């Protein structure tokens, strides 16, 4: 959408916001081939929170590459609570207040431990629709892969011993780094923190309860 998405830490008035460019450079770009990172961002305007180049469409079962992609070698996948232009709802769960997408994500993982990425994202979307949430969770990735056959797993065995070990997608990107193909003018948006030039991932500066990072250092 032409904007930078940003995290708003507790000390943002002194240290500033953390842009998705910084997150990509710190967490994604330096991850080597053979390492895997799975991230969950359940917060407002989080669709492209890690600046990953490929966005999965459940309806077409295809990946769309960003106009100005940021390619890397590692296997990074982000589940985000909504599109960049949307907000993520808060709900009351069994353990207290949290994000609607986090609750849907947890339910989907418990119900479908052997689902493919396509099936898993579809279940998350269905759980949100059942609760009448309009937000649309997103799946973005550093690598293109067959989401209809690759099994989603966090890389640990279940209590019953039937868990599925994580797989690591090899690097398919011939070029690594940021590519500027064309200038994208920022779209007119009705949100932003203090009128700044970015979409704040925490909406009005609320802490990101329910955001999580799951990292697998598999070599």
């Amino acid at each position: 959408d032409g904007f930078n998405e940003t995290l708003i830490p507790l000390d943002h008035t002194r240290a500033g916001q953390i842009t998705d460019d910084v997150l990509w450079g710190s967490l994604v770009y330096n991850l080597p081939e053979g390492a895997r990172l799975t991230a969950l961002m359940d917060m407002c305007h989080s669709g492209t929170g890690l600046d990953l180049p490929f966005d999965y469409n459940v309806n077409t079962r295809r990946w769309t590459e960003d106009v100005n992609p940021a390619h890397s070698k590692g296997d990074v996948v982000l589940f985000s609570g909504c599109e960049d232009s949307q907000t993520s709802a808060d709900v009351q769960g069994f353990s207290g207040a949290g994000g609607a997408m986090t609750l849907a994500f947890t339910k989907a993982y418990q119900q479908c431990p052997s689902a493919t990425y396509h099936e898993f994202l579809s279940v998350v979307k269905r759980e949100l629709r059942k609760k009448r949430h309009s937000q649309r969770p997103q799946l973005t990735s550093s690598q293109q892969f067959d989401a209809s056959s690759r099994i989603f797993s966090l890389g640990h065995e279940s209590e019953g011993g039937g868990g599925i070990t994580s797989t690591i997608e090899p690097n398919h990107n011939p070029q690594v780094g940021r590519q500027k193909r064309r200038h994208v003018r920022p779209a007119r948006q009705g949100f932003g923190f203090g009128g700044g030039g970015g979409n704040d991932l925490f909406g009005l500066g609320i802490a990101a309860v329910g955001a999580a990072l799951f990292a697998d250092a598999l070599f």
Side-chain angles (χ1 to χ4, degrees):
D1 57 5
F3 281 102
N4 276 329
E5 277 62 51
T6 66
L7 296 177
I8 303 180
L10 292 176
D11 62 348
H12 70 273
T13 55
R14 175 180 59 82
Q17 303 178 27
I18 305 172
T19 68
D20 51 1
D21 293 344
V22 171
L23 292 175
W24 181 83
S26 302
L27 296 175
V28 180
Y29 179 67
N30 292 319
L31 198 70
E33 183 173 8
R36 174 175 176 252
L37 170 68
T38 300
L40 168 63
M41 288 185 170
D42 187 4
M43 57 197 83
C44 300
H45 319 306
S46 57
T48 57
L50 287 183
D51 253 6
L52 302 179
F54 301 108
D55 183 15
Y56 184 69
N57 187 309
V58 170
N59 297 323
T60 63
R61 296 176 181 255
R62 294 178 180 273
W63 294 95
T64 301
E65 187 179 31
D66 190 27
V67 174
N68 298 314
H71 291 301
S72 55
K73 294 181 179 180
D75 180 14
V76 183
V77 170
L78 168 66
F79 289 92
S80 47
C82 61
E83 296 179 350
D84 282 342
S85 60
Q86 294 183 310
T87 56
S88 290
D90 290 328
V91 295
Q92 192 71 27
F94 295 112
S95 58
M101 191 271 193
T102 299
L103 186 61
F105 185 98
T106 303
K107 283 187 176 181
Y109 197 66
Q110 292 171 341
Q111 296 171 6
C112 309
S114 302
T116 65
Y117 277 81
H118 175 85
E119 292 168 341
F120 184 78
L121 182 60
S122 298
V123 174
V124 173
K125 286 176 174 283
R126 186 174 69 233
E127 288 293 325
L128 286 169
R129 286 196 300 268
K130 282 168 57 177
K131 299 297 183 180
R132 299 185 178 181
H133 296 297
S134 61
Q135 65 195 74
R136 293 181 291 274
Q138 305 294 298
L139 170 62
T140 55
S141 176
S142 62
Q143 307 290 337
Q144 294 188 79
F145 58 87
D146 185 356
S148 296
S149 64
R150 185 182 180 187
I151 302 297
F152 172 64
S153 172
L154 293 178
H156 60 80
E157 298 292 328
S158 65
E159 291 182 3
I164 297 175
T165 305
S166 298
T167 60
I168 298 178
E169 194 70 19
N171 178 39
H172 304 298
N173 301 316
Q175 274 188 292
V176 174
R178 290 189 175 275
Q179 299 178 48
K180 181 69 178 290
R181 294 171 178 168
R182 68 179 175 87
H183 178 69
V184 178
R185 295 183 61 184
R188 290 182 178 273
Q189 303 286 357
F191 47 76
F193 183 80
N199 296 339
D200 57 276
L201 293 176
F202 294 161
L204 298 176
I206 301 172
V209 177
L213 284 176
F214 303 100
D216 299 301
L218 303 178
F219 303 96

